[in-house]
């Protein structure tokens, strides 16, 4: 696989380090967006948001684990982003059309990743899904997943 140039660092990297950097950068942006959205809209403390991510593997016990489960939530966030970006990178090696219009296909991949996470992964995890449809949460989740996953994929094809 060819190197990945990250213009915001102005340097090329082998795929693995580039994916790690992209996962940290865009995973952090996504976490900050969640902290701001849930903090302002629902007054949820930052530690609970990160514990909510950890609850995908620990269930409700994550909310009783303090800073340790919040740290686990942050690490899981980066791991999820690394996997999402890695899958897209591998897909570009077989489906070369993905490299022709990176922004369009990246945004579509971000949307697809939202659908897979929300309706496939989360229901199978220990994460407690609150029943009902909440338009603001839906719009926020779709936009953040699409923008942060989608824009990160653009860097992988140049």
């Amino acid at each position: 696989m060819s190197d990945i140039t990250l213009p915001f660092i102005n340097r090329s990297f082998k795929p693995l380090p580039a994916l790690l950097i992209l996962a940290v950068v865009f995973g952090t942006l996504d976490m900050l967006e969640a902290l701001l959205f849930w903090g302002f809209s629902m007054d949820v403390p930052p530690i609970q948001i990160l514990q909510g991510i950890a609850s995908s593997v620990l269930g409700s016990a994550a909310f009783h684990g303090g800073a340790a489960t919040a740290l686990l939530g942050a690490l899981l966030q980066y791991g999820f982003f690394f996997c999402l970006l890695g899958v897209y990178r591998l897909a570009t090696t077989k489906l070369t059309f993905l490299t022709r219009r990176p922004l369009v296909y990246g945004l579509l991949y971000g949307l697809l990743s939202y659908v897979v996470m929300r309706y496939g992964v989360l229901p199978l995890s220990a994460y407690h899904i609150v029943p009902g449809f909440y338009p603001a949460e839906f719009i926020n989740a779709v936009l953040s997943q699409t923008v942060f996953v989608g824009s990160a994929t653009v860097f992988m094809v140049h």
Side-chain angles (χ1 to χ4, degrees), residues 8-29:
F8 55 89
I9 299 176
N10 200 26
R11 186 168 164 222
S12 291
F13 294 89
K14 296 289 182 201
L16 183 60
L19 288 172
L20 287 170
I21 291 167
L22 288 168
V24 168
V25 169
F26 287 93
T28 300
L29 290 172

Side-chain angles (χ1 to χ4, degrees), residues 102-157:
L103 184 58
V104 171
Y105 291 118
L107 293 174
L108 288 172
Y109 180 69
L111 182 60
L112 175 66
S113 71
Y114 166 77
V115 170
V116 169
M117 288 296 291
R118 177 66 175 88
Y119 299 104
V121 175
L122 288 179
L124 297 174
S125 75
Y127 183 79
H128 174 71
I129 296 176
V130 178
F133 179 77
Y134 304 94
E137 184 274 333
F138 173 77
I139 291 167
N140 178 68
V142 168
L143 286 176
S144 67
Q145 189 77 2
T146 301
V147 170
F148 293 125
V149 172
S151 56
T153 62
V154 171
F155 292 109
M156 292 189 295
V157 297

Side-chain angles (χ1 to χ4, degrees), residues 59-70:
S60 61
F63 296 102
H64 305 289
T69 56

Side-chain angles (χ1 to χ4, degrees), residues 30 76 105:
D30 188 54
L76 287 170
Y105 291 118

